[in-house]
């Protein structure tokens, strides 16, 4: 009998030694943790086992079960949070052995859907005097209770597990640093090579996912109004479903990170205090939200998530990503600086062209016109004199057109909005399809910097109505539009060769045009041209005010 006990003890010691070697043979932390639980259940012949990882707030941030089927796992409403008996082991990390879990006064019960369990053995797992978590074993097979020998075996295994976990952590940290250095070098190279922000942000999202082991990475950037964040870059699981998703700044966890410039870390994204959050609906577990840029200068948010049940992100992950996200902010700043430099270069070129036109081209044309003017009196042939005079008129018209072009070159909206000139051109060109021909257009004077926004809105409305009247009523084959700023007034002249004004009087559209002129202290003149058609002249004063130029 004693011989059998010695042989059983020897076999168990051998099994324990093999288990210790097996647990320490892998360096992937999640694999190590699952192997520890599986080995412990085998050594003490337990039906179920689990390893609960303790977080910073003395709660379970990860729960790794063994012995449950997929159907049983799916039926459990939620994993234990670290209350009751498990909470006692967290507060008092000491070995605990029970014949029945329900007999202990601290027993809190099982989550809904959890299978019933009787006998229990709990052992803390320490890593360098730090309690990493607790190893839980239940339901010893055959209806037996866990004994002192079982406890000794699991305590020994937990000691070896602490060493294996520490080795896996060190390996993971070394690998993380190596990956970080490589990724940082890649991003720096991209930035220095002039890569666009989309390319750099995609690289950052991909490398961030690799460094942290995340299953999903998203880069969110603010819209033009700054009231919402939109997913611009999507990497990993469900990339297509999340692309273009919008998160309001004032009512989302992502918006809070963007507004405050402080990261948020969740052991489970289902705990986000926003029920309608797409992050909650996605079903992901651990999540990490990091601002792109420093506080008060945040340019976006980097979101990472892992599948439910995986180990949460760590403070080391957070610190690494904060440094990494700073490069994303630099990428956006560099892109903005490049756009500003390109815009400045364009403005300088436009200004140079405008000066060349004014100082060289116009002066030469003016000199030629003056020479022809003086030549007209020397020409006796009326036909030749008329041709020379026509050439002078054409040169005069050319000079006016060049001056109009100079005004357009020298006046560009800083906010990127379309200038008044551009909007007038768009209106005239848009009428082409309805008229069947392209109306003539002439613009003179500083339209873009002397016409207040309110007056510009009225001008565009009047031009739209005038062109609409030609389309609907004039039956014209030709039309001319002239817009001019001169002598403190803005004038619009629209002339067509159609049927002219109706005998029954003015239409409501023309009354609206007249009211717009009167409201601005201006006037409207309508007349039938000598060669047929209608000539509309709408003129209003323009005065300096608080209103910005253009629209």
């Amino acid at each position: 009998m004693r011989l059998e006990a010695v042989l059983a003890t020897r076999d168990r010691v051998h099994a324990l030694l093999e288990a210790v070697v097996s647990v320490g043979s892998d360096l992937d932390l999640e694999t190590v943790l699952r192997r520890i639980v599986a080995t412990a259940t085998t050594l003490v012949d337990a039906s179920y086992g689990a390893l609960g990882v303790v977080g910073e707030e003395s709660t379970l941030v990860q729960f790794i079960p063994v012995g449950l089927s997929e159907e049983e796992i799916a039926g459990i409403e939620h994993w234990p949070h670290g209350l009751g008996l498990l909470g006692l082991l967290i507060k008092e990390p000491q070995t605990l052995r029970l014949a029945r879990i329900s007999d202990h006064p601290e027993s809190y019960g099982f989550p809904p859907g959890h299978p019933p369990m009787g006998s229990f053995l709990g052992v803390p797992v320490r890593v360098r005097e730090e309690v990493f978590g607790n190893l839980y074993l239940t339901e010893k097979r055959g209806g037996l209770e866990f004994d002192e020998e079982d406890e000794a075996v699991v305590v020994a295994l937990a000691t070896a597990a602490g060493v294996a976990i520490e080795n896996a952590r060190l390996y993971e940290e070394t690998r993380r640093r190596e990956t970080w250095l490589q990724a940082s070098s890649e991003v720096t190279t991209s930035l220095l090579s002039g890569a666009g922000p989309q390319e750099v942000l995609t690289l950052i999202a991909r490398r961030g996912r690799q460094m942290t082991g995340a299953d999903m990475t998203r880069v969110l950037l603010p819209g033009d109004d700054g009231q919402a964040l939109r997913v611009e870059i999507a990497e990993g699981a469900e990339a297509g479903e999340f692309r273009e998703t919008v998160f309001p700044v004032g009512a989302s966890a992502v918006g809070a990170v963007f507004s405050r410039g402080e990261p948020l870390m969740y052991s489970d994204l289902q705990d986000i205090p926003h029920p309608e959050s797409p992050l909650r609906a996605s079903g992901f577990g651990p999540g990490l939200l990091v601002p792109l840029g420093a506080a008060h200068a945040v340019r976006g948010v980097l979101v990472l998530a892992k599948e439910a049940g995986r180990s949460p992100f760590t403070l080391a992950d957070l610190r690494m990503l904060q440094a990494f996200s700073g490069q994303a902010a630099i990428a956006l700043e560099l892109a903005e600086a490049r756009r500003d430099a390109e815009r400045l270069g364009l403005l300088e070129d436009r200004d140079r062209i405008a000066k060349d036109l004014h100082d060289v081209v116009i002066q030469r044309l003016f000199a030629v016109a003056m020479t022809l003017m003086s030549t007209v009196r020397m020409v006796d042939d009326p036909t030749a004199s008329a041709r020379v005079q026509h050439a002078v008129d054409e040169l005069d018209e050319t000079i006016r057109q060049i001056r109009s072009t100079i005004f357009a070159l020298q006046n560009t909206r800083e906010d990127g909005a379309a200038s008044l000139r551009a909007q007038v051109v768009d209106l005239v060109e848009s009428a082409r399809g309805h008229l069947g021909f392209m109306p003539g257009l002439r613009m003179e004077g500083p339209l873009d910097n002397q016409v207040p926004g309110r007056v510009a809105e009225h001008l565009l409305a009047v031009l739209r109505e005038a062109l609409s009247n030609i389309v609907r009523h004039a039956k014209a084959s030709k039309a001319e539009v002239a817009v001019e700023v001169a002598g403190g007034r803005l004038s619009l002249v629209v002339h067509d060769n159609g049927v002219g004004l109706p005998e029954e009087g003015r239409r409501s559209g023309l009354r609206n045009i007249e009211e717009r002129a009167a409201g601005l202290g201006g006037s409207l003149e309508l007349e039938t041209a000598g060669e047929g058609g209608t000539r509309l002249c709408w003129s209003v004063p323009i005065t300096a005010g608080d209103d910005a130029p253009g629209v």
Side-chain angles (χ1 to χ4, degrees), residues 150-231:
D150 292 328
E151 180 179 331
V153 168
V154 176
V155 168
L157 178 65
T159 303
V163 176
I165 291 170
E166 176 69 3
N167 289 338
R169 275 179 163 182
L170 291 173
Y171 173 74
E172 191 174 80
E173 181 67 22
T174 302
R175 187 177 58 180
R176 181 189 292 115
R177 289 181 182 275
E178 182 180 348
T179 307
W180 153 246
L181 289 173
Q182 182 181 359
S184 180
S185 176
E186 284 186 47
V187 173
T188 301
T189 301
S190 297
L191 289 172
L192 295 177
S193 64
Q198 191 81 2
E199 181 180 345
V200 176
L201 291 176
T202 300
L203 178 60
I204 287 173
R206 185 175 299 126
R207 289 306 186 197
R209 183 164 65 93
Q210 292 173 352
M211 287 187 296
T212 60
D215 297 302
M216 175 274 283
T217 311
R218 305 287 182 265
V219 176
L220 294 88
L221 300 179
D224 294 335
D225 58 0
Q227 299 302 309
L229 294 157
R230 184 181 299 274
V231 175

Side-chain angles (χ1 to χ4, degrees), residues 427-463:
L427 270 180
V428 173
E429 288 184 346
S430 65
R432 179 178 186 173
H434 301 288
L435 290 169
F437 59 88
M438 181 66 188
L441 175 61
R442 178 171 60 85
M443 291 184 285
E444 295 186 28
L447 292 177
D448 293 331
N449 65 349
Q450 287 195 14
V451 178
R454 187 170 65 93
V455 177
E457 290 176 359
H458 285 289
L459 169 71
L460 294 172
V462 170
L463 176 57

